[in-house]
Amino acid sequence: MAFHSGFVCILGLPNAGKSTLLNALVGEKLAIISPKPQTTRNRILGVINSGGGKRKPKGQVILIDTPGVHTPDSSLGRKMMSEVRDALEGSHLILLIVDVAARHNPVDPLVLDVVTKAKTPAFLLLNKIDLLRGNKEKLLPLMERFREAHSFRQTIPISARKREGLDLLLGKIIEALPEGPHYFDSDQLTDQPLRFMVAEAIREQIMFATSEELPYTTSVVVEEFKEEPRLTRIAAVIYCEREGQKRILVGKGGSMLKKIGTAARLQIEKMVDTKVYLELFVKVVPNWRDSGHFVDELDWRSQLNRLAGKGS
Ligand code: GDP
Ligand code: MG
């Protein structure tokens, strides 16, 4: 049987469940997840190898999770939207994922505009059907409105969190992809460097432990990453924008930083398979989200480019 492969871009509003879908399909936690919008800031690549079998076609799917489509109001926001455009470029298929239980209108003109302009075949994924509790007829008017807005190749109800409908989805994705090569070795699941995944694990705990603007005004950079036989020593800096935010992040007697550090360390230990010694520092960089230079420094892809002497 022919081998199908290609790049598949997951697209949608903030909080639709894009990162949850990536992790569920790949079967590994590659992207951090939170109930707060704008958790994902970079495009994240995950590789699925489908072994085939009697009915399933054989193939390799390269999924790309993206930041939520939104109208940017800072350098960070513009960078996030440029990650969305980079992910779309050269992709063979778009998965537009919508939250069927959302209070906002899921038929969003901004997202539909991105899909239409991309001129790439698209599937519509109606996510979070577990929240409808059997009232699946509620989906019909929604499907009708999407049908009027765009011609989707497939419309598939799923629950990314409960892993419902995902086998069917994967089969349809592979069918829709062209015949192609193995783009990645079958043991490679992502292109993300471990250091970046560590920084993301810390940021995820900040998103859980803090409220109001703090989840959006912090970023994390791993400054030291030393692998010893039984211990990994990591030092990371949490950047925020104001002294008041730093006080909250540190907490009374360092209590908040300790809480974030302990939770992050447990996650990181699962990733590196050794004990972890994690040191966290908090630094203030006023309005870093509006600094194009600082935002670019955070991006591991541009960091790698600079190291390779390609400039940015
Ligand atoms: P993203 O911003 O589109 O990447 O969304 P996330 O994957 O970070 O998910 C946003 C929130 O929706 C998280 O709290 C997820 O646990 C939740 N979520 C994602 N998929 C589902 C689903 O199928 N069912 C339910 N009930 N919640 C989901
Ligand atoms: Mg996400």
Side-chain angles (χ1 to χ4, degrees), residues 18-19 32 39-40 65-66:
K18 297 176 293 298
S19 299
I32 63 170
T39 303
T40 309
D65 179 21
T66 61

Side-chain angles (χ1 to χ4, degrees), residues 14-20 33-35 40 127-128 130-131 159-161:
N15 247 359
K18 297 176 293 298
S19 299
T20 306
I33 288 167
S34 93
T40 309
N127 190 32
K128 310 198 188 181
D130 55 297
L131 296 177
S159 167
R161 192 194 267 176

Side-chain angles (χ1 to χ4, degrees), residues 78-89:
R78 282 187 289 281
K79 167 72 180 161
M80 285 159 70
M81 285 308 293
S82 89
E83 290 283 302
V84 174
R85 284 189 296 275
D86 284 351
L88 277 170
E89 203 173 300

